[in-house]
């Protein structure tokens, strides 16, 4: 029996403990590391999740693994293969999970998307190595807005543009696991954009015993971060336990000028009673402020590299001053999950939630005192202050406050080898989205951006170029049935969900094409799957799924005007929903060496490529209708269980994704049929190795991503790139009152390579192109995210 450290406990072979991603990994012995359940799905007791399928016996005499956990303050148990990157899966779909064994050893400033960048098919791009800013990711060539994100039973994505603000929802220190379903979505997932798969973030919930943890981090760009968490343990014999945490982060911007500030609170209270009943309350608050990073064209990147930034100094007319280029977001989330064991065979899960998101996008624009427009109406004289040659510099302000009411309910009934589930999901969203302007003084002073002294019209009304009121209502019902045959070796599953969405909006700007506009979307979405347990360690599976995404962005329903033109800068267009049919076939083997392989194929209609455009200094979504798309390929991962304290991991994916038809541009067609799809690297791979003997620990991760096209015509692309990160640390057992204090050093992008990591915008063609009907179609340059530079973060943490 191999011992991982002197604190490990020897138990049975890991092959006898199947891991179901719907539950946390096997329970460690540390009082600080009791895992919490992950995303909601078919109800299965934790004990059942630790047993092999009925009728399957573990191989005789097999005693090759230690899965008992080591004691740590931050939840590391050193039980997950691949250093925490390859938790065991049993569901009939391609799926990968990272656990605390990996998450706790990454930079504490990171986010859930950064944590999964080594998994097969996942491409993660960021504008800074600290992982703090908005990210841009893809899975199997499908964009971030096509991927569903779930946290504690609620959707993580922005309600309208589908951006997953993972860093605003939960601190990395409180994440128990992150699970990626690369293609097939969970039929009961409470999202309506999961064409490209599903990412589930599980909270590290209240621990069984009283205690806590503190972490202090310092690093590059004057980084300072403080984190503290307190767990009550079970209060008396009430069955009630809770935790609360607070973190504060400040640092200078990675490129150019500006600062980053973030304050975050996580907490959860849960009450357990009877055999499997519980009620809880999860609360999250986040206050995030930062200067924007300036996107670049390929020409600008080749000429200036990372020095192409917003400026530190202001002068009248300088709309690229960092003081104007800001972003702020405040999030408040309340989740109240309830689980009722109605009988031995029936369970009811209900999760109501309320989300309040307050976003502010800031930019800069020069407004003419005479010759400006309010919608399609010319303004004779705006009587602007701080004019220079008849022009005033203004701060463009785009608040996007969203209020969401949400309900997720499911009833599960078990009868012998059959499990039936039925559910209902509801959400209601309300937001008012204006764009207005505040004068900028000669010295750069900006009037109150949130209330008074805005630019006004001659009649006293506030001057706006967007004035939208938006409502959204979703109803979804689903049924699902799972049948186990052949002594539990064969599992068959079939389900159907029916999605119904209604949206309506009004825009008060004069000259809009439609004052009142909206859309209704409904779609039945069947799924089928089958898996067969060949041996206790070997499984094959196949699945067929359908998925759907309603159009992204309120700009689909409303038009935004420029200050300098009577015509809309963005035209309202009624887009259809995106629909996909997918198939997967896969094989898994779990033993000393763990292997997962799969082949996949997707056919997508009404493919909508997420892009953006700048209007009056504000980045606004601008979807591109790209018709049909085919995506097929192969992926795999290999991970070793801890062996002499070492755990290597390798993942890779080959992808062939193409555009299936020519794209309409004006009165012509671009010859895009058969072109490689944008943001779809042909090859990606990751290599990692982890070491942990209970005291000394560390890991190394290397990622490679091949080139990616940024235009549908394939006339511009970003080159392939490599990144590498390293972690080194030392952990003690006990020092006075400190439980397992440790020092950790994270070095991100150790090669300090500067590279283009992703896309701010996509275009149909970068160069002038002759259409099929002979018209010369003008090109437009895509905008890219610039990354690079080495970051070092030193952390001192301890439990108490």
């Amino acid at each position: 029996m191999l011992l991982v450290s002197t604190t490990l406990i020897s138990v049975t072979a890991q092959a006898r403990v199947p891991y179901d991603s719907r539950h946390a990994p096997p329970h460690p012995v540390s009082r600080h590391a009791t895992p919490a359940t992950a995303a909601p799905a078919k109800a299965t007791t934790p004990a059942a999740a630790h047993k092999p399928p009925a009728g399957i016996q573990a191989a005789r005499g097999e005693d090759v693994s230690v899965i008992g956990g080591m004691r740590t303050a931050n939840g590391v148990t050193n039980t997950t293969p691949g250093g925490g990157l390859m938790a065991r899966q049993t569901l009939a779909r391609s799926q990968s999970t990272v656990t605390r064994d990996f998450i706790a050893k990454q930079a504490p400033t990171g986010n859930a998307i950064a944590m999964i960048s080594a998994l097969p098919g996942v491409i993660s791009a960021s504008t800074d190595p600290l992982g703090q800013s908005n990210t841009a990711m893809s899975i199997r060539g499908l964009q971030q807005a096509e991927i569903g994100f779930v946290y504690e039973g609620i959707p993580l994505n922005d309600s309208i543009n589908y951006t997953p603000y993972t860093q605003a929802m939960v601190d990395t220190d409180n994440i128990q696991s992150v699970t990626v379903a690369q293609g097939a979505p969970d039929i009961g997932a409470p999202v309506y954009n999961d064409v490209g798969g599903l990412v589930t973030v599980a909270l590290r919930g209240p621990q069984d015993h009283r205690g806590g943890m503190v972490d202090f981090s310092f690093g590059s760009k004057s980084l300072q971060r403080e984190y503290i968490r307190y767990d009550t343990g079970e209060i008396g014999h009430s069955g009630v336990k809770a935790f609360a945490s607070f973190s504060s982060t400040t640092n200078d911007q990675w490129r150019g000028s500006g600062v980053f500030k973030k304050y975050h609170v996580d907490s959860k209270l849960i009450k357990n009673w009877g055999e499997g009943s519980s009620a809880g309350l999860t609360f999250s608050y986040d206050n995030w402020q930062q200067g924007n990073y300036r996107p670049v064209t390929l020409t600008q990147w080749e000429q200036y590299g990372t020095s192409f930034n917003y400026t530190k100094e202001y002068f009248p007319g300088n709309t690229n001053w960092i003081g104007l280029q800001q972003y702020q977001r405040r999030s408040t989330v309340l989740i109240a999950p309830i689980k009722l064991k109605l009988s031995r065979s029936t369970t009811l899960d209900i999760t109501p939630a309320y989300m309040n998101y307050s976003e502010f996008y800031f930019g800069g624009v020069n407004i003419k005192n005479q010759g400006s427009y309010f919608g399609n109406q010319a303004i004779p004289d705006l009587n602007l202050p701080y004019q220079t040659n008849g022009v005033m510099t203004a701060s463009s302000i785009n608040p996007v406050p969203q209020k969401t009411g949400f309900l997720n309910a499911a009833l599960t009934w078990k009868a012998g080898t059959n499990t039936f589930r039925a559910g209902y999901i509801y959400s209601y969203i309300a937001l008012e989205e204006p764009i207005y302007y505040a004068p900028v003084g000669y010295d750069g002073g900006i009037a109150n951006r949130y209330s008074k002294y805005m630019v006004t019209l001659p009649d006293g009304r506030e001057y706006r170029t967007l004035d939208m009121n938006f409502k959204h209502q979703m109803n979804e019902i689903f049924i699902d049935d799972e049948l186990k045959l052949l002594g539990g070796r064969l599992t068959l599953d079939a389900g159907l969900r029916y999605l119904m969405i209604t949206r309506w909006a009004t825009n008060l700007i004069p000259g809009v094409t439609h004052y009142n506009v909206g859309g209704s979307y409904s779609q039945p979405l069947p799924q089928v799957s089958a898996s067969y347990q060949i041996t206790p360690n070997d499984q094959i599976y196949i699945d067929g799924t359908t998925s759907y995404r309603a159009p992204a962005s309120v700009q689909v329903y409303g038009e935004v005007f420029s200050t300098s033109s009577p015509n809309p800068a963005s035209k309202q267009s009624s887009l259809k929903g995106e629909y996909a049919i997918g198939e997967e076939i896969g094989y898994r083997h779990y033993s000393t060496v763990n292997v997962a392989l799969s082949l996949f194929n997707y056919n997508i209609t009404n493919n909508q490529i997420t892009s953006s455009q700048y209007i009056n200094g504000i980045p606004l979504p601008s979807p591109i209708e790209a018709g049909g798309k085919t995506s097929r390929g192969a992926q795999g991962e290999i991970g070793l269980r801890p062996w002499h304290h070492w755990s290597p991991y390798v993942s890779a994916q080959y992808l062939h994704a193409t555009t299936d038809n020519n794209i309409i541009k004006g009165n012509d067609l671009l010859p895009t049929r058969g072109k490689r799809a944008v943001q779809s690297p042909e090859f990606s791979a990751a290599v990692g190795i982890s070491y942990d003997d209970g005291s000394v620990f560390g890991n190394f991760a290397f990622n490679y991503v091949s080139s990616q096209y940024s235009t549908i015509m394939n006339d511009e692309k970003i080159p392939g790139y490599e990144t590498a990160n390293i972690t080194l640390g030392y952990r003690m057992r006990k020092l006075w009152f400190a439980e397992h204090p440790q020092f950790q050093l994270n070095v991100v992008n150790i090669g300090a390579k500067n590279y283009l990591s992703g896309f701010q915008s996509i275009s149909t063609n970068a160069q002038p192109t002759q259409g099929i009907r002979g018209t010369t179609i003008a090109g437009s340059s895509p905008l890219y995210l610039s990354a690079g530079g080495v970051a070092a973060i030193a952390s001192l943490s301890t439990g108490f």
Side-chain angles (χ1 to χ4, degrees):
M1 179 71 68
L2 172 66
L3 293 181
V4 178
S5 78
T6 57
T7 59
L8 290 181
I9 297 176
S10 301
V11 294
T12 56
Q14 184 181 7
R16 305 173 193 173
V17 189
Y19 179 90
D20 188 329
S21 70
R22 295 169 295 191
H23 302 281
H27 289 253
V29 297
S30 169
R31 71 170 187 163
H32 298 287
T34 306
T37 56
K42 299 175 187 176
T44 308
T45 64
H50 295 175
K51 297 178 182 179
I56 297 179
Q57 300 296 323
R60 292 183 179 181
E62 183 177 25
D63 196 19
V64 296
S65 173
V66 175
I67 65 165
M70 59 174 62
R71 287 183 178 272
T72 64
N74 57 10
V76 171
T77 63
N78 202 32
T79 61
T80 309
L85 288 166
M86 199 175 174
R88 185 164 185 160
Q89 312 293 332
T90 61
L91 296 180
R93 63 184 182 217
S94 297
Q95 188 162 283
S96 305
T97 299
V98 300
T99 69
R100 290 296 302 170
D101 288 352
F102 179 80
I103 296 170
K105 295 173 184 176
Q106 305 311 298
T109 57
N111 60 79
I113 292 177
M115 300 299 162
I116 60 177
S117 60
L119 299 182
V122 178
I123 309 299
S124 174
S126 179
T127 52
D128 70 273
L130 296 175
Q132 297 171 323
S133 304
N134 283 339
T135 53
M137 67 170 296
S138 64
I139 296 179
R140 294 180 176 175
L142 296 173
Q143 293 181 298
Q144 180 173 271
E146 297 171 286
I147 300 164
F149 283 75
V150 173
Y151 169 71
E152 289 286 280
I154 69 167
L156 254 177
N157 303 73
D158 180 276
S159 308
I160 308 302
N161 65 31
Y162 305 131
T163 300
Y165 294 100
T166 57
Q167 61 271 61
M169 187 61 72
V170 57
D171 269 332
T172 302
D173 316 72
N174 297 325
I175 297 177
Q176 176 64 30
S177 64
V178 184
T179 298
V180 179
Q182 284 93 345
D186 185 341
I187 199 167
V191 293
Y192 42 89
N193 69 309
D194 51 348
V195 170
L198 185 70
V199 176
T200 302
V201 181
L203 178 68
R204 186 170 174 243
Q207 308 299 286
D208 291 332
H209 300 280
R210 182 168 58 88
M213 178 182 171
V214 293
D215 180 284
F216 300 96
S217 301
F218 305 90
S220 303
K221 296 295 181 178
S222 303
L223 169 69
Q224 294 185 42
R225 183 179 187 270
E226 301 82 36
Y227 166 86
I228 184 169
R229 168 173 169 144
Y230 177 71
D231 283 273
T232 66
E234 185 176 3
I235 301 173
H237 299 286
S238 63
V240 176
K241 55 184 178 179
F243 90 89
S245 72
F246 171 78
S247 71
S248 171
T249 307
T250 61
N251 58 266
D252 296 332
Q253 293 289 98
W254 192 254
R255 293 190 297 113
S257 305
V259 295
F260 175 94
K261 295 181 180 180
K262 183 172 183 288
Y263 306 97
H264 188 87
V265 174
D266 286 321
S267 65
K268 182 172 183 176
L269 180 146
I270 188 167
K271 158 72 175 176
N272 296 291
W273 72 89
E275 296 184 5
S277 293
S278 64
L281 180 65
T282 300
F283 171 78
S284 173
Y285 172 77
D286 188 86
N287 188 330
W288 164 15
Q289 305 173 49
Q290 73 167 87
N292 294 327
Y293 289 104
R294 191 174 185 180
V296 297
T297 65
L298 191 59
T299 300
Q300 292 165 339
W301 171 256
E302 292 170 347
Q303 182 176 357
Y304 301 105
T306 56
S307 64
F308 188 78
N309 301 310
Y310 294 116
T311 65
K312 185 177 182 179
E313 296 79 19
Y314 173 76
F315 54 85
N318 180 18
T319 58
N320 289 318
W321 174 47
I322 188 63
L324 295 174
Q325 304 293 334
Q326 299 287 314
Y327 173 78
Q328 297 182 14
R329 181 180 176 89
R330 298 182 183 91
S331 307
T332 303
V333 176
L334 285 168
I335 313 169
I338 301 169
K339 186 181 187 70
L340 300 175
K341 190 75 172 178
L342 302 180
S343 69
R344 295 184 62 182
S345 60
T346 308
T347 303
L348 176 64
D349 291 274
I350 304 174
T351 303
Y354 171 75
M355 294 89 89
N356 189 333
Y357 304 136
S358 179
E359 274 188 297
F360 284 86
Y361 295 88
F362 299 106
V365 64
N366 289 316
I367 302 177
K368 295 179 181 179
N369 186 59
Q370 296 178 344
S372 293
Y373 289 86
F374 174 45
N376 65 349
Q377 299 176 3
I379 308 171
D381 191 335
L382 276 172
N383 192 28
L384 297 172
Y386 312 118
Q387 293 183 39
T388 301
N389 298 323
V391 175
M392 183 199 73
T393 302
S395 171
S396 312
I397 305 166
N398 177 210
V400 191
Q402 298 183 36
K403 295 179 175 63
T404 302
F406 175 83
L407 177 67
N408 185 2
L411 183 70
T412 304
W413 176 65
K414 293 185 177 182
T417 59
N418 193 81
T419 301
F420 176 79
R421 184 172 52 142
Y424 171 69
I425 302 169
Y426 175 82
S427 69
Y428 181 84
I429 302 163
L431 71 87
E432 294 181 2
E433 183 177 3
I435 295 178
Y436 49 88
Y437 303 90
V440 180
Y442 293 123
D443 61 352
I446 303 174
N448 190 334
R449 283 169 157 166
Y450 308 102
S451 58
K452 296 183 179 180
Y453 199 41
M454 301 301 170
V455 176
T456 58
L457 296 169
D459 61 6
R461 288 180 297 163
E462 191 173 75
Y463 177 47
R464 298 186 173 193
T465 51
L466 175 68
D467 193 355
M468 175 175 285
N469 185 290
F470 182 87
K471 299 290 189 298
H472 160 107
Q473 182 171 260
M474 182 199 75
N475 288 273
E476 179 182 327
I477 55 175
F478 67 90
I479 56 173
D480 180 67
D481 192 78
E482 180 187 87
L483 178 64
K484 291 185 177 294
L485 302 172
L486 303 180
R489 291 178 181 268
L490 177 64
T491 301
L492 304 177
D493 193 290
L496 174 69
R497 64 171 171 161
Y498 194 82
L499 181 67
M500 297 161 284
I501 293 175
T502 301
R503 292 171 173 172
W504 56 99
T506 58
N507 193 350
L508 298 177
I509 300 299
V512 295
T513 304
H514 300 287
Y515 156 75
N516 193 333
V517 68
S520 294
Y521 314 90
S522 62
Q523 186 67 51
L525 299 168
Q527 293 186 15
V528 294
S529 67
S531 66
Y532 183 72
Q533 202 74 32
I534 304 170
T535 73
N537 298 333
D538 298 271
Q539 180 192 36
I540 57 173
Y541 65 87
I542 188 170
D543 66 67
T545 61
T546 57
S547 51
Y548 182 81
R549 183 182 70 143
S553 166
V554 293
Q555 275 66 46
V556 171
Y557 309 97
E559 294 171 329
V560 182
F561 282 78
S562 167
T563 63
S564 58
S565 172
N567 301 312
S570 73
K571 292 288 291 183
Q572 184 269 327
S573 60
S574 298
L575 301 183
K576 297 180 180 178
E578 188 174 28
Y579 180 78
I581 300 175
E583 303 88 25
E584 295 177 319
I585 184 170
Y587 165 76
R588 298 182 179 117
H589 171 78
Y590 294 102
S591 186
T592 303
V593 177
N594 304 276
V595 180
L597 305 170
S598 65
L599 302 174
F600 57 87
N601 177 75
Y602 300 101
N603 295 102
I604 301 173
T605 57
N606 302 322
N607 180 220
Q608 296 164 24
I609 298 173
T610 298
S611 187
S612 66
Q613 62 177 327
Y614 280 79
I615 302 176
N616 298 333
I618 298 289
L620 295 169
S622 178
I624 299 174
E625 295 184 84
K629 178 179 177 180
T630 299
S631 180
R632 54 177 59 117
Q635 70 175 52
E637 55 183 337
I638 302 174
L640 185 70
R641 289 204 308 259
W643 180 76
H644 294 287
H645 317 308
W646 293 95
S647 301
Y649 174 82
V650 178
S651 71
Q653 176 182 270
Y654 170 77
L655 175 67
H656 183 75
T658 58
T659 301
D660 292 343
N661 54 270
N662 301 318
I663 295 178
I664 298 173
K665 288 289 289 185
N667 296 320
D668 209 334
L669 294 169
L670 272 173
T672 54
R673 184 173 185 175
K675 301 289 185 181
R676 281 204 172 261
V678 297
Q679 208 168 334
S680 302
E682 185 175 17
F683 184 74
S684 59
V687 177
I689 188 164
S690 174
Y691 179 89
D692 196 333
D693 67 4
S695 297
V696 177
F697 65 89
N699 60 31
F700 171 80
F702 172 84
N703 282 70
Y704 170 74
V705 179
S706 66
S707 61
Q708 304 173 65
Y709 284 109
S710 54
T711 65
I712 305 174
M713 272 299 299
N714 292 176
D715 57 0
E716 191 167 297
K717 64 180 178 180
I718 62 173
Y721 60 87
E722 309 87 25
T723 61
N725 306 326
I726 192 169
T727 303
L728 298 171
Y730 182 79
R731 183 188 304 119
M732 292 179 280
R733 289 188 174 85
K734 189 174 179 66
L735 183 64
W736 192 28
F737 67 88
E739 296 280 348
H740 310 289
Q742 72 173 42
F743 171 79
Q744 179 172 306
L745 175 66
N746 293 95
V747 184
V748 184
N749 194 22
I750 57 178
K753 181 180 179 181
N754 298 320
Y755 61 98
L756 296 176
S757 61
F759 308 90
Q760 173 77 22
S761 68
I762 301 291
S763 74
T764 54
N765 54 302
Q767 305 299 325
T769 304
Q770 184 173 345
I772 291 176
R773 297 169 184 166
T775 304
T776 298
I777 299 171
S780 61
S781 298
L783 293 174
Y784 302 101
L785 304 177
S786 171
V790 61
I793 304 100
S795 303
L796 181 63
S797 63
T798 184
F800 58 85

